């Protein structure tokens, strides 16, 4: 059976191949092709979905199509207005105003800057429009949903320490300071790394999470340290991990001599690097449960239904910093459990992953 998840997974595989095009063109091209600014496919309640950027492949490849598919399934007359800010905080604020002017009944907002988004929440609530803080926390939002972000950081730190044997020197690449999740990942990782025998040679907060910045920063560190002195790398997400790998291999480090490198988001390129032994692990955050829960709550709010304590996706409402919340569990992915996680869930198929040079790596891992 074809589900929204499997359709999105297929879109995700296609998107990865065209990621550089989307990054160059921003969200406008995607908007013109379907759910663009002010566009939608229904005449009932109106739901605005505002995502922060397109350099991280998950948003356009998974969050958007999964959310839209679930809204369509739950409310065929609901309209989804979609916006992507391309990491521009002021642009996102303008997009919110546009969505409200276009009649949004509820706003699902993944902010470029969580701390700076409280004004956007106030603007929406001032027009009696509730706000769901999606993936990144916003103080004062009506609802919040995300993964347990400190646990993500702890899992990354634990995996790195284990891979290194509890000692050695590392580089540490965190996410954007404007992203509240990045601070939580960082805190969780430090809670492990600071208590271990690992020494952090240099640490970097990447202002836009970009692989390009990660690669350049790593290159800069290689002017201070010989590659052989770097025993591990904490990279907060897969995009940065890819930048680190590019910098190290560009400096002459062979693939089989790369130090353990962490990641997050289970991007297909990261899964392939893990199978090839170029990246130690990633964090798989099952995006369908997050996107579909957000869609369910958004539809309930937009149509005047009561928001359930437990969602149809099986998540029970809790509280985070005074905001009604739905918190999901992350999963560590290594060579040993690729088949049991992202493939078993239909996030990717073996055919998506086991292409070209990675076919032999898949066979070695028992994936066919």
């Amino acid at each position: 059976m074809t589900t929204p998840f499997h359709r999105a997974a297929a879109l995700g595989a296609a998107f990865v191949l065209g990621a550089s095009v989307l990054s160059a063109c921003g969200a406008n091209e995607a908007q013109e092709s379907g759910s663009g600014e002010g566009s939608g496919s229904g005449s009932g309640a109106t739901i605005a979905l505002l995502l922060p950027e397109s350099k991280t492949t998950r948003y356009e490849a998974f969050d958007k199509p999964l959310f839209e598919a679930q809204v369509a399934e739950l409310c065929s007359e609901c309209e989804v207005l979609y916006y992507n800010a391309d990491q521009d905080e002021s642009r996102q604020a303008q997009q919110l105003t546009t969505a409200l002017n276009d009649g949004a009944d509820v706003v699902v907002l993944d902010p470029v800057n969580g701390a700076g988004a409280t004004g956007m929440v106030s603007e929406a609530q001032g027009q009696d429009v509730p706000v769901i803080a999606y993936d990144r926390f916003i103080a004062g939002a009506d609802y919040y949903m995300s993964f347990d972000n400190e646990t993500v950081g702890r899992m990354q730190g634990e995996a790195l320490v284990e891979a290194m044997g509890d000692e050695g020197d590392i580089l540490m690449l965190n996410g954007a300071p404007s992203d509240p999740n990045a601070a939580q990942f960082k805190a969780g990782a430090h809670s492990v790394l600071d208590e271990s025998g690992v020494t952090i040679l240099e640490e970097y907060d990447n202002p836009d999470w970009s692989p390009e910045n990660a690669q350049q920063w790593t290159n800069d560190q290689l002017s201070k340290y010989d590659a052989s002195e770097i025993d591990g790398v904490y990279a907060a997400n897969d995009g940065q991990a890819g930048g680190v790998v590019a910098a190290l291999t560009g400096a002459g480090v062979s693939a089989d001599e790369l130090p353990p490198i962490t990641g997050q988001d289970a991007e297909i390129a990261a899964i392939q690097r893990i199978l090839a032994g170029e990246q130690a692990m990633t964090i798989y955050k099952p995006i369908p449960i997050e996107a579909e829960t957000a869609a369910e709550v958004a539809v309930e709010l937009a149509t005047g239904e009561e928001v359930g304590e437990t969602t149809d996706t099986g998540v029970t409402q809790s509280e985070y910093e005074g905001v009604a919340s739905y918190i999901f569990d992350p999963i560590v992915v290594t060579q040993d459990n690729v088949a049991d996680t992202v493939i078993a869930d239909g996030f990717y198929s073996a055919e998506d992953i086991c292409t070209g040079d990675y076919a032999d790596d898949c066979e070695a891992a028992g994936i066919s």
Side-chain angles (χ1 to χ4, degrees), residues 119-154:
M120 297 172 67
V121 169
S122 296
E123 180 182 354
Q125 292 174 342
Q127 298 184 37
D128 296 322
V129 175
V131 177
I132 298 171
Y134 181 79
D135 203 56
R136 297 173 180 175
F137 182 74
I138 313 170
D142 296 277
Y143 292 90
Y144 167 56
M145 50 196 65
S146 187
F147 290 84
D148 187 333
N149 295 317
E150 286 208 22
T151 295
V152 168
R154 285 197 297 272

Side-chain angles (χ1 to χ4, degrees), residues 301-327:
L301 290 169
T303 58
E305 300 176 35
E306 183 177 352
V307 176
E309 288 291 319
T310 300
T311 67
D312 290 344
T313 54
V315 184
T316 300
Q317 188 181 118
S318 57
E319 185 178 292
Y320 180 82
E321 296 193 11
V323 177
S325 301
Y326 299 91
I327 306 299

Side-chain angles (χ1 to χ4, degrees), residues 106-254:
V106 60
V107 170
V108 180
L109 173 60
D110 190 342
V112 173
N113 182 347
T118 53
M120 297 172 67
V121 169
S122 296
E123 180 182 354
Q125 292 174 342
Q127 298 184 37
D128 296 322
V129 175
V131 177
I132 298 171
Y134 181 79
D135 203 56
R136 297 173 180 175
F137 182 74
I138 313 170
D142 296 277
Y143 292 90
Y144 167 56
M145 50 196 65
S146 187
F147 290 84
D148 187 333
N149 295 317
E150 286 208 22
T151 295
V152 168
R154 285 197 297 272
M155 286 176 163
Q156 292 171 314
E158 288 166 354
L160 182 59
V161 169
E162 180 178 354
M164 292 174 59
D166 200 33
E167 62 181 14
D169 299 329
I170 71 166
L171 300 177
M172 187 169 187
L173 295 87
N174 305 304
S178 61
D179 179 350
N181 288 6
Q184 294 168 356
F185 302 144
K186 181 177 177 178
H190 269 290
S191 72
V192 174
L193 297 174
D194 294 350
E195 297 298 319
S196 72
V198 167
T199 299
I200 300 171
L201 295 172
E202 303 286 348
E203 185 169 0
Y204 173 57
D205 293 344
N206 188 335
D208 66 357
W209 287 98
S210 71
E212 296 82 6
N213 283 346
Q215 182 174 353
Q216 182 58 58
W217 182 81
T218 305
N219 280 331
D220 292 343
Q221 307 320 302
L222 291 173
S223 68
K224 305 177 189 177
Y225 306 99
D226 189 271
S228 63
E229 298 177 72
I230 300 169
D231 301 307
V233 180
Y234 171 86
N237 73 334
D238 290 334
Q240 294 193 91
V244 171
V245 170
L248 290 172
T249 55
V253 180
S254 64

Side-chain angles (χ1 to χ4, degrees), residues 14-56:
F15 176 82
V16 170
L17 296 175
S20 61
V21 175
L22 270 176
S23 295
C25 297
N28 292 333
E29 183 173 313
Q31 290 164 348
E32 290 167 2
S33 68
S35 299
E37 297 192 7
S39 70
S41 56
S43 57
T46 301
I47 298 168
L49 174 64
L50 287 81
L51 297 182
E53 47 101 349
S54 55
K55 286 190 176 181
T56 302

